[in-house]
Structure formats: C-alpha cells, structure tokens
Amino acid sequence: GKTRMAVAKEKLIGLLDKMGKETSIGLVAYGNRIAGCSSASLYQPIQRGSAELVKQKLNGIVPAGSTPIAQTLALVGEYLLSDTITTEIIFVSDGVESCEGDPKAVLYKLRTMGKKFNLHILGIDIDPKGEEDLKRLAVLGDGRYFSIKEPKDYQTSFLRLFPEWDLGKNYITNQDSPPLSISNPISGKASKIRIVSILPYSGSEEDQYILTY
C-alpha cells in the first residue's frame, strides 16, 4: 500500500531516531526530480547531532531520474568521508549504475586518497544480475550487501549493521545477565556461558538467528 521510496524513507527515519545525539550524519542523494545523470547532490554535510536535519531533508526527496552511482559515491567521498575516522555509508538504491559511470574506479580512487569507509548497500527489489553487481561493489567497499524485498528486511539489515543500538524488539542484548550453566558433553562437568546478543539472520528463509556468547 506504499511506494518503495515511502517505505525506504520511513525505515531510514526510524534508524535516525535510534542513533545517539552525538552521532555524525550526512546525506547525499541522486534523482529527486533532477533529470539526467548529474543529479547527485549534497543535502547535508556530515555533522555531529544532525539527525533531525537529515530527517527533514530526507522527507523532501522525491524519486525520479537516472541512477548515477559513481557520481554519487564521488560526492560522498568529497563531502562525507575522512582520512582519520571510518565512516559507515548506507547506500540505498532500487537500481544499478545507469549513467556509464564506474563505481568501482571511484571506490579505488577514494581508497588511494586515504579515505576510511565501509560501504553497505541496501538493494530494493533488484534483479539477480543487478544484485551480483551491487554485491561486488559492497565487497570492494569493505561492507555488506542486503537484499530488500519486504519492509521487514530493513529492520533485519539495520540490526546486523548496528547491533549496539536499540533498534527494535526482535533481538536481545543480555550482557548484564548471569551466565547460564550448561553440561559439558565431554567432561560431564558444568560450564558457564553468557549470552551477549541474539540477532535475526537474513541469509535464510527459515527462522534462524546469530547467537553471540
């Protein structure tokens, strides 16, 4: 009952709400009713405590136009990245490069310039060939690729990227609880483990979880 962009903005705004007030955030986007392949624009420079400003800018973005991923990454490198602090890039797209740019070359150039970043890509309803392209791009960017087919996939992706934040009730963090007593099958003696977190695992259609202890 909603457009893909409406859902994406809703989920990203929810993520921004969970981020700490001291988190440094910036926003670059392409399209937004700008025709052609030169639509990538800086909407918010990276700045501490700028979540509310980013939310306002994000709300006003309207999807339209081509998909200049290379140009967008170049703009991210110019305005949002640092050579001293690692920046987590959350790149959301419903398509692959369509402007004859070379995103891989841009990533290589940013690395040679000393920029520190991890490129995580959320691909919205991408076809299999396009997903392979975006997966390779995420690997080159030292990040992860997440396939977004349903609204709940956003939450699963964010939980895996930011398990330290309280992003919902689908997982637990249990660092302060007493350790569990278990029986060692080899020695027969009791051992103790402490469950740190339980996160949903999106790599399977079945109900599986990542258990950290």
Side-chain angles (χ1 to χ4, degrees):
K2 297 180 181 179
T3 65
R4 292 183 298 184
M5 185 62 174
V7 173
K9 290 197 291 186
E10 177 184 298
K11 299 300 182 181
L12 287 171
I13 288 171
L15 176 64
L16 291 169
D17 285 337
K18 300 294 184 181
M19 290 183 175
K21 293 183 178 179
E22 297 302 307
T23 306
S24 297
I25 307 168
L27 176 65
V28 166
Y30 60 81
N32 199 19
R33 292 178 174 167
I34 301 174
C37 288
S38 300
S39 63
S41 302
L42 174 69
Y43 289 89
Q44 174 61 43
I46 195 161
Q47 181 180 350
R48 180 175 295 178
S50 60
E52 288 299 321
L53 290 172
V54 171
K55 283 164 59 178
Q56 293 173 17
K57 304 289 177 61
L58 196 58
N59 265 322
I61 290 177
V62 178
S66 303
T67 309
I69 292 180
Q71 183 199 42
T72 304
L73 289 175
L75 206 60
V76 168
E78 183 176 356
Y79 290 103
L80 303 188
L81 302 186
S82 165
D83 55 4
T84 57
I85 301 173
T86 300
T87 300
E88 304 296 327
I89 304 171
I90 311 297
F91 198 106
V92 183
S93 180
D94 64 352
V96 297
E97 173 70 45
S98 66
C99 293
E100 299 183 359
D102 189 345
K104 297 176 185 177
V106 173
L107 290 181
Y108 178 77
K109 181 178 179 180
L110 293 177
R111 291 294 187 201
T112 58
M113 292 170 60
K115 301 296 184 181
K116 296 184 177 181
F117 61 91
N118 298 315
L119 173 63
H120 309 295
I121 301 177
L122 276 61
I124 306 175
D125 206 18
I126 307 291
D127 62 57
K129 183 180 182 304
E131 283 204 324
E132 288 303 314
D133 290 342
L134 294 181
K135 284 178 183 178
R136 283 193 287 268
L137 198 60
V139 169
L140 285 174
D142 289 335
R144 301 179 183 181
Y145 175 81
F146 297 95
S147 179
I148 305 297
K149 302 296 185 184
E150 300 179 35
K152 66 181 180 64
D153 294 335
Y154 285 97
Q155 183 79 350
T156 303
S157 303
F158 296 153
L159 285 172
R160 295 184 66 186
L161 288 174
F162 307 111
E164 68 274 19
W165 289 335
D166 180 18
L167 299 177
K169 298 181 179 180
N170 293 329
Y171 74 105
I172 66 168
T173 56
N174 201 27
Q175 296 180 3
D176 298 327
S177 66
L180 302 174
S181 293
I182 63 172
S183 176
N184 189 314
I186 298 176
S187 67
K189 297 180 180 180
S191 301
K192 293 182 180 293
I193 63 170
R194 175 175 281 109
I195 306 297
V196 176
S197 66
I198 301 175
L199 303 175
Y201 175 60
S202 63
S204 171
E205 294 180 357
E206 300 176 357
D207 289 333
Q208 297 185 2
Y209 298 87
I210 301 171
L211 174 66
T212 305
Y213 62 91

